[in-house]
């Protein structure tokens, strides 16, 4: 009997050992997280052969959508493709990782994605508390408020006591709180995480008002098809510069994101499109364009990229105007204007860095 | 050494130390590794954020919360919201469940069929889909200006507005106590041994006690009225919204309806099982004693069935409390929603998740302990249930 | 009794006895009947009579109609079923779904209810599913997990949750039964803690927190972490069911086996487990049903399972209004799976009740 008990306890002990030994051993090694370590992102991406990108988990009309064939499209998605092309030379070498809004920062911090492109605003606490790093801003929009026309609102001040739909976990959540405090009015917030559900709540009349980043408001209204039934109020809550977000501590990776954006704007400024890029490359009109398109060397080495990276980006993804047009502008169902998001020479605030 | 290992006690001790040790190693190792990762990326960690103000606000709270309040207060608010929704959801689900369960054991065939369709339908579609459906349903009610008007109850896309008493809270409380007493005292009078009059002849006494206490309740209520204001605050249209009365937000009602209907289907089956577990012999014995059908039901079948149901019911209740976390999908500011927003706004991922887990462990383990206690307290001695 | 055709009057009185024995009962029957008929009529009218079915009319035809707009399904069903899976390869996803269905059907047949056979079915099934979906072998194109979606992903999460969770639940149940107090206590603590946490929070923790806690090479894809989390949750519940089944096995049997000198493994695998599993079968099927429904929660951690794919299906400029139809379609798919599984559970319960008598 005693022997029997021993055997039994031994057996269950052995099982416990088998169950726990593996992870326990693994734990004790504390191997560093390769992806998360500073200065290594580019090597990691190259070794992996694919860029892990986004922070969208569903529709964000115009910025990320899924077409009839299950492919991602949208402005943010095209920017992912542009970075992938710059780094790996092929726009298809991007893996769009769906992550929910609440997960995007932890996912970035833990190395699950290489960058987050999800119409994310640059804020102080994201920069300092969350340990994030921003690129140049690639889209400028103001946070605005849409209201049902029948309410006849002139500005938000008239809406005291009304109900407002707010995307949860975003910068708008704080902007609306401080703006209403400034006006001295009280609104009842409705916080919803998924954009689809949020817009339904507004259009069904659950909310009088809907605050969003301006472009998304205009798109939502256009997609709904009854533009005249919804007013976008004149109130501007905040200017929100949208940026590509990266982990802190990898300057090279930030440079790559910035120069990819710069390249898109430079090409637009110089009139280089995916259509004419080959002919311009064959016969560069100026030395700086020659350098830009990799005819003369120098643009890639400092970044750890090949010299024709910018050429490939323009060839495969197009310049910024082309990206905008097909996703948000004339070539899309939304017919948006560029407004602030035009180049400096067209009344906007975007500009490329100099290529010398 | 080997001889020592063969000693059973020693070996058992070693095995246990090893088992507990490895689990502790996993936990501590994970924690240390997380510290390293955070430090390497210069991410702020620790619990200091709890005392910072949030800068955002939720859409539903029993306790007042403003953007200037600190994070820890928001966690409390979220937990209270979760518990409130949980309790209301449980009560509604129990009510629906009892109805469905009784329909399913009734002698009426159409009713039984209806009960069965109900259970089959609501049990076989995921709760999250039902929540989406009910949320769409309640938000597609008419706008406040065109609200459905049921007397002083108004139903609109902004929620359900009900009149509430507009009296000082001390008086309100006292009057509620009177109403409860009006139910409890007559029951006590029916069974107590302190009265010399036999129980069968106490009917007049009981009715008198009940009516007297109800009248007292009305008096106390009226006495608590505020000067120059009506006794009830009734919802009325003002500006963009209905004002006055009590408002039940659509997020809350959608979740409560979904929990009630989904949970009701499960509880209905538990109720049916409980009644089926009451031995046929017990009912026959009661019948042969000449008890009326109502007395058989209330004095024999129900108490026995309740004891058979309770352990399963406890599990179901805990499950339902956990289901409140679906609030995040439609924007009810429950505990989980507060945690998720905190992660996004302050970045204290590990701490926030830790608080989430601790909160639910606390609630559900104490709920489990409570049910165990009740279960033991009402258990019958001897075996009166058919196993 | 003689089989005989009941006379018409007989039938009528029979009917009356069944549905209208007393005025109260009659009123109850009529009210329930009226409720049933109204509901059925409303649904039929919305879903069939005034609905738009064709894909050609597009959104415009739908907005004009009173009833349901099934053209959104006709246009976007491939997104709902397959999510982000590459369009030209979606036949693989469809085939993989069939493999899972076949696997579930096979494991419902009593002929496969021996440890070895059931394990063989599941290992072959999961391997086949995985090979078909992921590719990279037999000339199939490689497709990473982040592109999986729709019904296939839902099924994958369900199947792998059971695949990992089931054996784990047996291990946990045995550990909790251990005679060594610390082993059984610690296991009990783990099981009770997991059971009192909401599944959403566990999924969230495994998706978001675990990467911080594990060294990089151990993290694995988010999908697998979430599956591990969901399997742990499943196992904690299932372990209690298995333990309940073990308690139903008469103690004398184990003592008799010990007296005969039968070893621990032998005793567990040949005497204890077969009987315990038989006792626990109805509750086990119920647990499968519940965890199938709970796969829908992974939407919260950003997966394109069937519900999220549904959101994406109506989340495009032209179809934003047609969400009710999309949700109805998804509800129908869930219903077909869950209902047949739970009917099967009820059938088993009846069958075993007969056996036990």
């Amino acid at each position: 009997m005693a022997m029997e008990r021993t055997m039994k306890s031994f057996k269950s002990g052995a099982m416990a050992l088998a169950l726990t030994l593996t992870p326990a051993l693994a734990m004790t090694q504390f191997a560093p997280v390769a992806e998360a370590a500073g200065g290594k992102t580019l090597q990691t991406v190259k070794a992996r052969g694919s860029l892990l990108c986004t922070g969208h988990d569903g529709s964000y009309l115009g910025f990320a959508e899924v077409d009839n064939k299950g492919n991602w499209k949208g402005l943010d998605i095209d920017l992912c493709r542009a970075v992938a092309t710059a780094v790996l030379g092929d726009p298809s070498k991007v893996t769009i990782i769906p992550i929910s809004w609440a997960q995007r920062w932890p996912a970035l911090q833990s190395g699950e994605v290489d960058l987050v492109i999800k119409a994310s605003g640059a804020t102080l606490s994201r920069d300092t508390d969350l340990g994030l790093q921003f690129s140049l801003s690639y889209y400028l929009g103001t946070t605005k408020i849409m209201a049902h026309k029948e309410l006849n609102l002139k500005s938000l001040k008239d809406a005291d006591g009304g109900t407002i739909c707010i995307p949860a976990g975003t910068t708008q959540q704080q902007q609306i709180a401080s703006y209403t405090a400034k006006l001295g009015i009280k609104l009842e917030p409705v916080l919803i995480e998924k954009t689809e559900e949020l817009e339904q709540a507004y259009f069904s009349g659950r909310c009088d008002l809907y605050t969003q980043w301006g472009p998304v408001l205009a798109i939502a209204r256009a997609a709904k098809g009854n533009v005249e039934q919804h007013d976008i109020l004149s109130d501007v809550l905040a200017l929100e510069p949208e940026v590509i977000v990266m982990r802190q501590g990898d300057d090279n990776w930030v440079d790559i994101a910035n120069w990819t954006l710069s390249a898109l704007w430079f090409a637009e400024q110089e009139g280089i499109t995916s259509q004419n890029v080959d002919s311009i490359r064959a016969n560069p009109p100026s030395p700086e364009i020659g350098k830009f398109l990799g005819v003369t060397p120098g643009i890639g080495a400092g970044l750890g990229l090949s010299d024709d990276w910018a050429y490939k980006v323009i060839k495969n993804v197009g310049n910024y105007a082309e990206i905008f047009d097909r996703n948000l502008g004339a070539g899309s169902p939304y017919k948006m204007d560029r407004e602030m998001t035009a180049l400096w020479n067209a009344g906007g605030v975007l500009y490329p860095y100099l290529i010398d | 050494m080997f001889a020592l290992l063969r000693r059973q006690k020693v070996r058992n001790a070693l095995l246990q130390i090893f088992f507990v040790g490895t689990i502790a190693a996993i936990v501590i190792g994970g924690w240390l590794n997380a510290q390293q990762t955070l430090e390497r990326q210069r991410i702020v960690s620790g619990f200091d954020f709890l005392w910072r103000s949030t800068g955002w606000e939720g859409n539903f709270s029993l306790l007042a919360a403003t953007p200037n309040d600190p994070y820890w207060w928001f966690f409390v608010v979220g937990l209270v919201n979760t518990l409130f929704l949980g309790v209301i959801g449980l009560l509604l689900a129990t009510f629906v469940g009892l109805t469905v369960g009784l329909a399913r054991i009734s002698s009426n065939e159409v009713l039984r069929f209806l009960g069965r369709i109900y259970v089959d339908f609501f049990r076989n579609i995921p709760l999250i889909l039902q929540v989406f459906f009910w949320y769409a349903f309640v938000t597609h009610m008419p706008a406040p200006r065109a609200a459905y008007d049921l007397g002083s109850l108004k139903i609109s896309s902004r929620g359900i507005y009900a009149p509430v008493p507009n009296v000082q809270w001390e008086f309100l409380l006292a009057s509620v106590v009177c109403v409860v007493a009006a139910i409890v005292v007559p029951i006590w009078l029916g069974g107590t041994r302190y009265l010399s009059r036999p129980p069968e002849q106490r009917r007049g006494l009981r009715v008198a006690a009940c009516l007297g206490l109800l009248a007292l309740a009305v008096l106390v209520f009226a006495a608590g009225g505020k000067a120059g204001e009506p006794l009830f605050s009734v919802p009325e249209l003002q500006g963009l919204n209905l004002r006055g009365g009590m408002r039940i937000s659509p997020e809350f009602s959608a979740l409560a309806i979904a929990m009630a209907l989904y949970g009701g289907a499960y509880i209905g089956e538990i109720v049916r099982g409980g009644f089926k577990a009451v031995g046929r012999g017990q009912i026959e014995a009661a019948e042969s004693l000449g008890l009326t059908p109502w007395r058989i039901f209330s004095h024999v079948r129900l108490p026995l069935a309740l004891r058979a149901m309770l352990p399963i019911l406890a599990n179901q209740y805990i499950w339902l409390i956990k289901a409140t976390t679906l609030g995040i999908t439609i924007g009810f500011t429950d505990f989980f929603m507060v945690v998720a927003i905190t992660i996004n706004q302050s970045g204290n991922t590990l701490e926030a998740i830790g608080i989430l887990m601790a909160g639910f462990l606390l609630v559900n383990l104490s709920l489990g302990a409570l049910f165990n206690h009740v279960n033991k307290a009402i258990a019958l001695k001897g075996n009166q249930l058919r196993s | 009794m003689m089989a005989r055709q009941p006379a018409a009057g007989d039938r009528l009185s029979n009917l009356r006895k069944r549905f209208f024995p007393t005025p109260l009962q009659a009123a109850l029957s009529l009210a329930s009947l009226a409720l049933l008929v109204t509901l059925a009529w409303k649904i039929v009218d919305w879903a069939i009579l005034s609905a738009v079915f064709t894909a050609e009319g597009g959104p415009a035809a739908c907005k004009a109609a009173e009833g349901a707009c099934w053209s959104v399904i006709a246009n976007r069903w491939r997104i709902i079923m397959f999510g982000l899976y590459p369009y030209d390869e979606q036949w693989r996803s469809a085939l993989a779904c069939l493999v899972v269905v076949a696997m579930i059907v096979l494991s419902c047949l009593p002929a496969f209810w021996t440890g070895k056979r059931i394990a063989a079915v599941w290992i072959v099934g999961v391997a086949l599913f995985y090979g078909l979906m992921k590719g990279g072998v037999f000339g199939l194109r490689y497709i990473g997990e982040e592109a999986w979606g729709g019904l296939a992903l839902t099924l994958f999460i369900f199947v792998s949750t059971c695949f990992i969770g089931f054996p784990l639940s047996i291990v946990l149940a045995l550990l909790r039964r251990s005679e060594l107090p610390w082993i059984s206590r610690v296991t009990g603590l783990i099981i009770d803690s997991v059971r009192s946490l909401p599944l959403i929070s566990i999924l969230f923790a495994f998706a978001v927190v675990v990467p911080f806690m594990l060294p990089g090479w151990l993290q694995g894809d988010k999908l697998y972490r979430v599956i591990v989390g969901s399997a742990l949750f499943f196992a904690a519940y299932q372990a209690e069911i298995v333990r309940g089944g073990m308690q139903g096995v008469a103690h004398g049997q184990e003592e008799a086996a010990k007296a005969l000198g039968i070893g621990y493994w032998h005793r567990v695998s040949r005497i204890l487990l077969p009987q315990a599993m038989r006792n626990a079968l109805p509750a086990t099927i119920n647990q499968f049903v519940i965890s199938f429904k709970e796969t829908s929660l992974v939407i919260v951690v950003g997966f394109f399972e069937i519900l999220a794919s549904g959101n994406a299906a109506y989340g495009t400029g032209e179809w934003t209004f047609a969400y009710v139809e999309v949700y109805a379609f998804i509800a129908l798919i869930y219903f077909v799976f869950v209902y047949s599984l739970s009917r099967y559970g009820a059938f088993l319960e009846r069958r075993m009740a007969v056996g036990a008598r």
Side-chain angles (χ1 to χ4, degrees):
Chain A
M1 190 63 195
M3 182 62 195
E4 179 55 40
R5 281 178 65 100
T6 318
M7 275 313 286
K8 176 173 180 178
S9 57
F10 178 71
K11 289 281 166 64
S12 57
M15 203 149 47
L17 185 127
L19 192 73
T20 54
L21 194 60
T22 339
L25 280 181
M27 278 298 172
T28 50
Q29 302 204 355
F30 293 119
V33 186
E35 295 93 341
K40 286 206 179 123
T41 315
L42 180 63
Q43 276 94 319
T44 313
V45 172
K46 278 184 172 167
R48 194 196 296 127
S50 160
L51 176 80
L52 308 179
C53 192
T54 109
H56 287 283
D57 66 339
S59 294
Y60 202 66
L61 300 181
F63 290 83
E65 285 176 46
V66 178
D67 71 7
N68 272 352
K69 295 194 165 187
N71 298 312
W72 285 101
K73 60 173 186 177
L75 182 91
D76 283 351
I77 304 299
D78 275 345
L79 290 181
C80 287
R81 293 211 174 95
V83 176
T85 314
V87 175
L88 300 163
D90 183 349
S92 68
K93 287 191 175 161
V94 62
T95 307
I96 303 293
I97 308 269
I99 32 182
S100 70
W101 58 271
Q103 285 176 294
R104 57 190 155 147
W105 310 135
L108 182 62
Q109 288 158 349
S110 64
E112 210 173 300
V113 287
D114 300 314
L115 25 85
V116 168
I117 307 184
K118 191 228 173 241
S120 304
T123 72
L124 175 71
S125 65
R126 284 176 185 171
D127 198 359
T128 54
D129 294 348
L130 274 78
L132 303 176
Q133 185 76 54
F134 308 134
S135 74
L136 300 168
S137 59
Y138 66 83
Y139 202 113
L140 281 105
T142 47
T143 301
K144 291 198 154 192
I145 295 164
M146 181 154 75
H148 292 278
K149 181 103 184 178
E150 62 205 31
L151 299 178
N152 245 327
L153 299 178
K154 292 278 171 294
S155 77
L156 193 62
K157 225 177 157 74
D158 306 334
D160 193 10
T163 308
I164 186 162
C165 280
I166 308 171
T170 62
T171 42
Q172 282 89 29
Q173 211 179 332
Q174 285 157 330
Q175 288 160 8
I176 198 79
S178 68
Y179 190 75
T180 51
K182 206 158 68 187
L183 288 180
I185 62 169
K186 188 110 187 80
L187 296 178
E188 187 217 336
V190 173
L191 302 170
I192 298 184
E193 56 153 341
K194 284 196 87 95
T195 320
E196 295 99 328
E197 300 284 331
L198 182 71
E199 285 177 1
Q200 254 174 49
Y202 168 74
F203 286 116
S204 74
R206 168 68 186 93
C207 305
D208 300 307
L209 308 159
Y210 173 28
T211 185
Q212 249 295 6
W213 189 50
V216 180
L217 273 189
I219 289 168
R221 189 169 68 162
K224 187 71 183 170
N226 45 3
V227 178
E228 63 288 346
Q229 287 174 30
H230 303 277
D231 282 330
I232 292 182
L233 304 181
S234 55
D235 300 71
V236 174
L237 276 64
L239 169 74
E240 191 163 316
E242 309 297 355
V243 293
I244 300 176
V245 187
M246 289 151 286
R247 285 179 295 272
Q248 226 161 46
D250 190 346
D251 295 344
N252 165 255
W253 191 237
V254 178
D255 288 344
I256 289 174
N258 278 337
W259 280 103
T260 305
L261 290 172
S262 226
L264 297 175
W265 295 324
F266 182 79
E268 187 189 347
Q269 175 184 287
E270 302 300 326
I272 308 170
T273 67
S274 55
Q275 309 298 323
N276 65 16
V277 65
D278 280 317
S279 61
I280 291 179
R281 193 184 192 214
N283 193 3
S286 72
E288 72 176 341
I289 290 179
K291 187 166 176 180
F292 177 68
L293 294 177
V295 181
T296 51
I299 188 176
L303 294 169
L305 304 175
S306 69
D307 273 332
D308 60 352
W309 69 264
Y311 159 73
K312 280 186 175 155
V313 169
I314 304 303
K315 174 78 189 157
N316 289 301
V317 188
N319 66 28
Y320 196 79
E322 290 176 84
I323 294 176
F324 189 95
D325 277 353
R326 72 170 167 261
N327 293 309
L328 298 165
S332 76
Y334 313 119
K335 318 278 182 235
M336 299 265 297
D337 288 328
R338 289 279 290 269
E339 294 179 357
M340 268 181 290
T341 307
L343 277 190
W344 61 279
N345 54 11
V349 296
L350 299 181
Y351 53 87
Y353 285 172
L354 297 178
I355 290 168
D356 61 350
Chain B
M1 181 67 196
F2 194 66
L4 195 68
L5 265 180
R6 277 172 78 165
R7 296 255 300 279
Q8 188 201 326
K9 271 192 176 170
V10 177
R11 188 147 35 177
N12 282 352
L14 280 178
L15 273 173
Q16 298 191 54
I17 289 168
F18 178 77
F19 182 78
V20 177
T22 33
I23 287 183
I26 292 176
V27 174
I28 295 169
W31 190 71
L32 287 177
N33 201 24
Q35 289 296 321
Q36 280 191 353
T37 314
L38 293 180
E39 236 164 76
R40 200 170 40 240
Q41 292 183 41
R42 284 165 268 164
I43 299 169
V44 178
S45 67
F47 285 93
D48 293 342
F49 77 100
L50 285 175
W51 282 268
R52 283 211 316 263
S53 67
T54 56
W56 42 272
E57 52 188 334
N59 68 321
F60 175 90
S61 64
L62 288 178
L63 308 170
T66 68
N68 296 322
D69 284 321
Y71 275 99
W72 69 265
W73 179 247
F74 271 68
F75 284 120
V76 173
V77 166
L79 192 58
V80 169
N81 284 351
T82 290
L83 288 178
F84 180 66
L85 174 64
V87 168
I88 300 285
L90 291 189
L91 288 177
L92 291 176
T94 311
F95 178 74
V96 173
L98 268 174
T99 316
V100 172
L102 292 180
R104 289 213 64 185
I105 56 163
S106 92
S107 53
N108 188 313
E109 214 158 314
V110 189
L111 210 56
R112 276 211 306 272
F113 182 65
L114 203 64
R116 183 165 166 200
I117 289 194
Y118 177 90
V119 170
D120 278 346
F121 186 79
F122 283 97
R123 271 216 319 189
N124 289 321
I125 293 171
L127 181 56
I128 188 170
L129 256 173
Q130 299 193 27
V131 169
F132 281 162
F133 173 81
W134 289 111
Y135 189 58
F137 182 80
V138 294
T139 51
H140 281 78
M141 291 285 132
R145 283 164 300 281
Y148 290 127
D149 205 340
L150 309 171
S152 44
L153 192 75
K154 294 194 166 52
I155 299 174
S156 77
S157 63
R158 301 295 153 69
I160 302 166
Y161 290 78
V164 281
N166 184 27
V167 297
Q168 290 160 39
W169 69 270
E170 299 92 343
F171 287 84
L172 184 64
L173 192 69
S175 118
V176 169
V177 169
C178 287
V179 171
V180 173
I183 300 165
V184 175
V185 170
I187 294 175
W188 176 78
L189 283 175
T192 182
R193 297 202 190 98
Y194 290 109
L195 295 175
S196 52
R197 195 185 289 191
E200 303 83 54
Q201 292 166 26
R202 290 180 193 164
R203 171 168 278 185
L205 196 64
R206 290 166 71 184
V207 170
C210 178
L211 289 179
L213 281 164
L214 282 180
L216 186 64
V218 172
L219 278 178
V220 170
F221 186 83
K226 293 167 188 163
E229 288 178 45
L231 281 179
F232 282 91
S233 154
V234 180
E236 270 166 283
L237 191 66
Q238 254 178 35
L240 288 180
N241 242 332
L242 291 158
R243 293 285 166 81
M246 177 184 65
R247 175 169 160 277
I248 305 165
S249 76
E251 290 77 26
F252 185 86
S253 34
L255 278 169
I257 295 173
M259 278 171 72
L261 295 180
Y262 185 83
Y266 271 92
I267 293 176
E269 285 301 273
I270 296 172
V271 169
R272 186 173 73 110
F275 276 102
K276 269 173 71 181
V278 178
R280 186 76 217 144
Q282 305 250 3
I283 300 167
E284 278 162 6
E287 277 167 352
S288 66
L289 282 176
L291 296 183
T292 60
W294 168 247
R295 293 218 111 192
I296 296 180
F297 178 80
S298 64
H299 282 67
V300 180
R301 293 179 72 194
L302 189 64
L304 287 174
L306 217 55
R307 286 172 171 83
M309 288 173 218
L310 203 70
I312 320 170
L313 214 50
N315 278 333
Q316 191 60 40
Y317 280 172
I318 290 182
W319 193 93
L320 276 174
I321 289 265
K322 295 198 284 179
T324 56
T325 45
L326 284 180
I328 196 172
T329 56
I330 59 167
F332 176 74
T333 324
D334 74 324
F335 194 39
F336 183 60
M337 176 106 171
V338 172
V339 166
I341 294 180
T342 301
I343 288 173
N344 218 26
Q345 301 283 20
S346 87
N348 293 69
T349 311
L350 301 186
E351 293 83 0
I353 293 271
I355 291 172
L356 174 74
M357 302 237 159
F360 269 103
L361 280 180
L362 186 75
V363 169
N364 284 334
L365 290 182
S366 38
L367 201 66
L370 178 76
F371 272 116
N372 261 339
H373 188 77
V374 173
N375 207 8
K376 272 190 196 129
I378 67 163
L380 294 171
K381 309 292 174 284
N383 183 14
Q384 303 189 22
L385 297 174
R386 201 175 55 179
S387 60
Chain C
M1 241 222 290
M2 285 273 287
R4 110 192 131 85
Q5 198 66 26
D10 233 20
R11 235 190 257 163
L12 211 65
S13 77
N14 210 347
L15 210 65
R16 204 170 71 205
K17 227 190 271 164
R18 277 175 67 187
F19 299 110
F20 310 103
T22 65
L24 185 72
Q25 291 277 0
L28 214 56
S29 299
L30 279 178
S32 322
L33 212 60
L35 187 66
L36 260 179
V37 170
T38 344
L39 274 180
W41 167 251
K42 288 235 166 179
I43 291 172
V44 168
D45 181 49
W46 176 79
I48 299 169
L49 298 180
S50 359
V52 179
F53 286 92
T54 49
E56 294 83 49
C62 274
K63 282 177 179 163
E66 287 274 298
C69 170
W70 298 116
S71 26
V72 61
I73 308 296
N75 270 305
R76 309 274 286 178
W77 67 276
R78 287 179 79 145
I79 293 184
I80 300 176
M81 297 303 268
F82 307 122
L84 304 170
Y85 210 74
Y87 195 76
D88 301 328
E89 308 279 340
Q90 281 174 356
W91 60 271
R92 279 161 55 183
S93 191
L95 207 58
C97 289
L98 286 180
V99 167
V100 169
V101 172
M103 186 171 91
I104 295 173
V105 168
L106 280 185
S107 24
C108 285
L109 299 178
F112 286 90
W113 288 354
T114 64
K116 269 184 201 146
R117 283 187 195 167
I118 202 100
V121 167
W122 277 65
I123 289 170
V124 170
V126 172
L128 214 58
F129 179 94
Y130 190 77
L132 269 172
M133 287 296 284
K134 187 135 184 174
V137 285
F138 307 122
L140 294 175
R141 211 177 103 202
Y142 172 87
I143 291 158
E145 282 88 350
E146 74 288 332
W148 299 9
L151 183 62
L153 185 61
T154 293
L155 287 174
F156 180 67
I157 293 172
F158 170 64
V159 163
S160 36
T161 295
C162 301
F163 190 69
I164 303 169
F166 201 77
L168 185 61
S169 75
I170 296 174
V171 172
L172 284 178
L174 287 174
L175 281 177
R176 190 167 196 178
R177 265 180 100 253
S178 158
E179 283 165 11
L180 300 176
W182 279 98
I183 291 185
S184 79
R185 250 181 245 162
V186 171
T187 317
L189 185 72
I190 293 174
I191 290 178
D192 289 342
S193 309
V194 173
R195 279 166 62 99
S196 48
L197 292 173
L199 179 56
I200 288 190
S201 73
I202 291 182
L203 296 179
F204 203 80
F206 272 80
V208 171
V209 180
V210 168
F212 286 102
M213 306 183 65
L214 291 183
W217 52 273
L218 233 166
Q219 282 175 15
D221 192 85
K222 184 172 83 178
L223 177 61
Y224 297 107
R225 289 203 309 270
V226 165
I227 286 174
V228 168
S230 134
L232 186 66
F233 189 77
F234 174 84
Y237 270 85
Q238 179 63 21
E240 289 299 278
I241 295 173
V242 172
R243 194 167 71 110
M246 286 173 178
Q247 276 166 350
V249 178
H251 209 68
Q253 297 208 12
E254 212 171 347
E255 276 166 4
K258 275 185 196 169
L260 287 174
I262 300 175
Y264 179 75
W265 285 123
H266 221 80
R267 233 163 47 218
V268 165
S269 63
R270 292 292 163 83
I271 298 169
L272 185 63
L273 272 183
Q275 299 188 67
M277 291 323 288
R278 196 189 139 87
N279 293 342
L281 199 56
T284 304
I285 302 270
N286 195 27
Q287 191 56 40
F288 280 124
V289 166
I290 290 173
S291 47
F292 187 81
K293 282 186 288 183
E294 286 184 339
T295 54
S296 54
L297 296 183
V298 299
I299 189 176
V300 176
V301 283
F303 282 110
F304 259 80
E305 51 70 72
I306 190 161
L307 200 52
S309 311
N311 278 338
Y314 73 76
T316 184
E318 44 184 342
W319 292 113
T320 41
F321 65 94
Y323 55 94
V324 176
E325 291 79 358
V326 171
Y327 285 150
F329 183 66
I330 295 169
L332 185 71
I333 294 174
Y334 265 110
F335 188 83
V336 168
F337 275 92
V338 177
Y339 186 69
S340 30
L341 211 58
S342 62
R343 286 323 297 161
Y344 172 74
F347 159 76
L348 269 189
E349 207 165 339
R350 274 199 305 280
R351 208 181 92 134
M352 284 171 54
V354 171
R357 199 177 281 164

